[in-house]
Amino acid sequence: LTPLFVSQPEFLKYKFAPMEDVRIPTRDGLNIVGYLTRAKDNGEATPLILRVHGGPWLRDYWGFSALDQWFANRGYATLSVNYRGS
C-alpha cells in the first residue's frame, strides 16, 4: 500500500500503537466484533481497559483513537467491543 497523501505530516515523527480487528466467538456461534489497541510489548502482562460505547444507536469503528493511543502510551491495552444491537 502506498499512501496518496499525508493530512497531518507533524504526526509522522510519532510511533502509534496499531489497532487490531478482533472477532470474539459467542455461545450461539456468531462473532462479536471488537477493536484492540495494545500497549508496547515489554514481555509483561498488560492491563486491559474495556471501553463500552454509549448504547444501541452508537458503534465503535476501526481507525485512529486519541484516547486509545493515550492509554497505550501509558501501558494499557484497550478493547472496544460492538456488542449486539449496535
Side-chain angles (χ1 to χ4, degrees):
L1 236 35
T2 303
L4 298 176
F5 65 92
V6 177
S7 62
Q8 306 230 1
E10 62 273 10
F11 287 162
L12 291 175
K13 62 184 174 184
Y14 299 106
K15 175 71 175 150
F16 293 107
M19 180 179 274
E20 303 171 32
D21 177 24
V22 295
R23 308 290 168 135
I24 303 165
T26 61
R27 289 184 285 178
D28 60 2
L30 299 175
N31 289 324
I32 293 177
V33 177
Y35 304 102
L36 177 65
T37 303
R38 299 176 192 254
K40 186 176 180 182
D41 186 14
N42 59 6
E44 298 179 11
T46 304
L48 175 75
I49 297 171
L50 178 61
R51 296 189 54 215
V52 180
H53 62 70
W57 55 88
L58 298 174
R59 71 177 303 270
D60 289 311
Y61 295 93
W62 184 90
F64 179 79
S65 166
L67 187 58
D68 290 345
Q69 293 300 318
W70 189 81
F71 285 130
N73 179 268
R74 283 144 181 82
Y76 295 91
T78 58
L79 178 62
S80 301
V81 178
N82 283 318
Y83 48 85
R84 291 205 187 142
S86 61

